[in-house]
């Protein structure tokens, strides 16, 4: 009998570690950005970001390989096949080293040409930018060859280690930001050099930890298992198609908004994107903690466990997003007035509709991960990725007919609902998930909770003084109570209350 209780406790523990990591890193990152801007100045800060942006364009491929490596490692762990686990790690190390070398060559050729021929920067800083580019490329290479070790740590569900190393990385970045003020050399070059040194340190930490705890990472000889190579590269390639369609969709809509409305609307859309990334950080922690268990259940053909993780994961992801979204929707104008000196037109509407889009997107996350765990993603990526790209002609026609600047986010929501239906179809095909069960237990129930929480928040807050702190705490309490008494069953509610009581009692000791 499988010990699902222990697995569920591990998911909860790993989620807490990752939440703590995110909250800490958000604060550190925001403050570090401020210190770096002051230390480097606006011009050099811009140079570092634009040069780093050239390198970052190539990171999408390594990101797809990271997903592939983690999936295959976790799948082998779920099967209990150590021989295949060793082969997967060996193949992934070889692929990443080869990919790193190829991308470094491409970056050296294309990046240097772009720097000297296309970039707009002060002439006296071009040579400095060249060295920033070199250190950025070196940092990129180190990060690429570190991917298999990062993936191994997540596949083995050692989230505490992942969180600790990330927190150390954030603290050291802050230290670097403060230290460059005192260097007698060019601050921009020294900053790029120190960031490269930090990536080396991270590589050493991940490697040493993996060697000590994971047998498959020891005494690795470079080589490629032909069948594994083809399978992993095919998976990564089709996953890249999905990632590319998402990137093209987002950038394409921004360009269309710029053509029809100018930079003011782009500014509003950009601010909503920042809210998107900040809020979604908290949901990805829960998903990262659950995904190894989901992949293992697929590997073991434990479809009952797979369905439970998809349904409960979908519901609780939505509830976590609700806790963030409902208060933000209610107090969006107040939040933006505190955050920004001047709030661009349409920003409030963009932020609110972005949160609605994220709620729909959250319902799809475990459906996506279950399909990725199954491995046969070619048809899935063609269908879903192709549907996402429909947004460009749809938005263009809508705007041509005089539509609102919000048509981009509205079209995104419509297509996300369609893609949700497609993901349900593929899950029914691959693991037998009942679309009716998911619709009744997850989609309908979750949106019922959201509607009650939102309406109740607006109603109750109409009787409360216009005080930001009181408003947001009240909305949080209303949302939490609605989730507990409408969104959860009795057993889930009792378990949640017992956990809260346990944490509070420990804090008071």
């Amino acid at each position: 009998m499988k010990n699902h209780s222990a697995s569920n406790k591990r998911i909860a523990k790993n989620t807490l570690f990752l939440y703590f990591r995110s909250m800490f890193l958000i604060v550190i990152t925001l403050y570090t950005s401020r210190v770096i801007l002051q230390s480097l100045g606006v011009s050099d800060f811009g140079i570092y970001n634009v040069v780093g942006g050239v390198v970052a364009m190539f990171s999408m491929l390594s990101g797809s390989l990271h997903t592939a490596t983690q999936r295959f490692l976790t799948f082998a762990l779920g099967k209990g096949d150590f021989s295949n686990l060793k082969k997967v790690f060996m193949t992934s190390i070889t692929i990443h080293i080869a990919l790193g070398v190829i991308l470094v060559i491409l970056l050296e050729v294309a990046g240097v040409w772009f720097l000297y021929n296309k970039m707009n920067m002060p002439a006296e800083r071009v040579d400095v930018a060249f060295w920033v580019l070199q250190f950025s490329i070196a940092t990129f290479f180190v990060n690429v060859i570190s991917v298999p070790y990062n993936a191994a740590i997540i596949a083995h569900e050692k989230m505490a280690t992942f969180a600790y190393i990330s927190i150390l990385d954030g603290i050291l970045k802050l230290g670097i930001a403060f230290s460059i003020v005192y260097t007698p050399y060019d601050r921009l070059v020294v900053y790029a050099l120190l960031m490269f040194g930090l990536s080396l340190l991270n590589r050493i930490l991940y490697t040493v930890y993996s060697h000590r705890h994971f047998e498959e990472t020891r005494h690795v000889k470079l080589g490629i298992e032909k069948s594994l190579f083809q399978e992993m590269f095919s998976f990564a390639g089709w996953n890249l198609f999905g990632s590319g369609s998402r990137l093209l969709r987002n950038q394409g809509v921004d360009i269309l908004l710029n053509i029809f409305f100018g930079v003011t609307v782009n500014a509003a859309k950009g601010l909503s994107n920042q809210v998107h990334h900040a809020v979604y950080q908290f949901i990805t922690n829960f998903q990262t903690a659950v995904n190894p268990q989901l992949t293992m259940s697929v590997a073991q053909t434990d479809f009952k466990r797979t369905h439970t993780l998809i349904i409960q994961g979908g519901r609780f992801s939505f509830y976590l997003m609700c806790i963030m979204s409902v208060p933000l929707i209610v107090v969006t104008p107040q939040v933006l007035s505190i955050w920004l000196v001047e709030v661009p037109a349409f920003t409030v509407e963009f932020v609110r509709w972005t949160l609605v889009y994220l709620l729909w997107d959250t319902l799809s996350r475990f459906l996506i991960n279950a399909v990725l765990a199954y491995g046969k993603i070619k048809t899935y990526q063609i269908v879903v990725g192709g549907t996402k790209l429909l947004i460009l002609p749809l938005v263009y026609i809508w705007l041509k007919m005089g539509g609102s600047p919000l048509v981009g986010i509205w079209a995104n929501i419509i297509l996300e609902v369609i893609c949700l239906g497609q993901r349900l179809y593929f899950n029914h095909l691959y693991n037998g998930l009942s679309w009716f069960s998911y619709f009744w237990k997850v989609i309908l129930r979750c949106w019922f909770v959201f509607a009650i929480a939102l309406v109740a928040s607006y109603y109750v807050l109409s009787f409360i003084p216009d005080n930001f702190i009181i408003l947001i705490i009240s909305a949080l309490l209303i949302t939490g109570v609605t989730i507990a008494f409408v969104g959860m069953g009795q057993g889930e509610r009792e378990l949640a209350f017992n956990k809260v009581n346990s944490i509070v009692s420990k804090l008071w000791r």
Side-chain angles (χ1 to χ4, degrees), residues 34 70 127 204 209 231 236 249 289 300 302 319 330 343 356 361 366 380 382 413 416 418 495 497:
R34 176 179 172 178
Q70 188 178 315
D127 289 338
I204 292 168
Y209 181 86
E231 199 176 350
R249 175 192 65 181
Q300 295 161 359
D302 186 353
Y319 295 159
V330 172
V343 181
V356 173
D361 179 74
F366 289 104
Y380 166 80
I382 290 173
I413 293 170
E416 189 58 40
I418 294 171
L495 179 63
F497 287 161

Side-chain angles (χ1 to χ4, degrees), residues 8 10 17 36 51 81 85 90 103 203 232 256 275 314 317 322 335 378 383 396 419 435 452 500 502:
N8 292 339
R10 189 158 60 249
F17 276 121
I36 285 293
V51 170
D81 188 347
L85 186 65
M90 175 193 73
L103 291 179
R203 165 84 161 104
M232 290 177 72
L256 288 175
V275 174
S317 284
C322 252
V335 170
K378 177 182 177 180
V383 171
Y396 178 78
C419 289
W435 68 267
I452 292 176
V500 171
S502 175

Side-chain angles (χ1 to χ4, degrees), residues 257-258 261-270 344-346 350 405-406:
L257 289 176
N258 180 265
F261 298 103
V263 294
T264 302
V265 169
N266 282 128
K269 176 69 161 47
F346 294 104
F350 267 118
L406 298 170

Side-chain angles (χ1 to χ4, degrees), residues 47 138 193 254 267 271 309 354 382 429 490 509:
I47 290 172
L193 173 61
D254 287 348
L271 291 167
L309 288 172
T354 295
I382 290 173
L429 185 67
Q490 184 176 347
R509 285 177 188 171

Side-chain angles (χ1 to χ4, degrees), residues 23 29 82 100 111 122 145 218 246 263 305 323 378 406 426:
M23 287 187 288
T29 301
F82 179 76
I145 62 176
R218 301 171 194 159
R246 185 168 61 251
V263 294
R305 173 68 170 165
I323 290 171
K378 177 182 177 180
L406 298 170
F426 281 102

